[in-house]
Amino acid sequence: MPRLHALLESYSADHVNATNQAIHLVCVPAIVWSVIAALWTVPVPGSFLQPGAFAGLVMAGAAAWYFRQSRPLGLGLTLAFVLAGASCWWLAGQVGMRGLLLIAVAVFVLAWIGQFIGHRIEGKRPSFFTDLVYLLVGPAWTLSKLYRRLGIAY
């Protein structure tokens, strides 16, 4: 937990403005979902894999990283991944893979615009400009804020 704790503290130092924090609480989960949704649409070879297999592999890898850092955050983010995957499965059934990809791209672009607006308000560059690991820290930071509000130790 010490590495994640230090990363969360550093991430928090780059996100002290209340407006920027509020933007991140909406945009970070939207970005995570949009990446999962885009990966969901990657065609899978053969008949033994189902649509969403690549998204599942990426989610499993990310969940493993989070679990190594913090079991409570790993559990919460795994649940978020399962919900994201379920929503992608459902949405793909409603609008097809092309429709899911278009929605994912639109959400991704809009959420990143929101992120950069938040950082403009904050007056600081996004944390991932200094280290790409912060792309993984953002979702943990978002969930850690919820955990703190609920009194859950992480």
Side-chain angles (χ1 to χ4, degrees):
M1 177 72 173
R3 173 153 165 76
L4 183 60
H5 185 70
L7 290 168
L8 289 170
E9 282 184 10
S10 176
Y11 194 89
S12 290
D14 289 338
H15 301 84
V16 295
N17 179 280
T19 302
N20 188 29
Q21 287 184 23
I23 289 170
H24 275 63
L25 292 176
V26 172
C27 291
V28 168
I31 290 167
V32 170
W33 179 87
S34 69
V35 169
I36 292 168
L39 289 170
W40 196 273
T41 67
V42 174
V44 292
S47 60
F48 61 93
L49 292 176
Q50 296 293 314
F54 292 117
L57 288 172
V58 169
M59 289 186 285
W65 186 84
Y66 290 122
F67 267 107
R68 275 198 339 241
Q69 305 300 315
S70 163
R71 280 191 167 77
L73 287 172
L75 182 61
L77 287 162
T78 299
L79 176 60
F81 291 153
V82 168
L83 293 173
S87 72
C88 291
W89 173 80
W90 180 82
L91 201 51
Q94 301 301 307
V95 299
M97 290 299 201
R98 181 172 164 75
L100 178 60
L101 180 59
L102 292 173
I103 293 168
V105 169
V107 169
F108 185 84
V109 169
L110 291 173
W112 272 110
I113 288 170
Q115 293 280 79
F116 283 105
I117 289 170
H119 279 285
R120 177 77 176 187
I121 293 167
E122 182 84 44
K124 294 182 182 174
R125 293 173 16 148
S127 299
F128 75 88
F129 283 162
T130 59
D131 189 341
L132 290 178
V133 76
Y134 285 108
L135 291 172
L136 288 170
V137 174
W141 177 82
T142 301
L143 186 58
S144 73
K145 290 185 79 63
L146 175 63
Y147 278 14
R148 267 184 265 131
R149 186 170 277 190
L150 297 174
I152 299 172
Y154 57 90

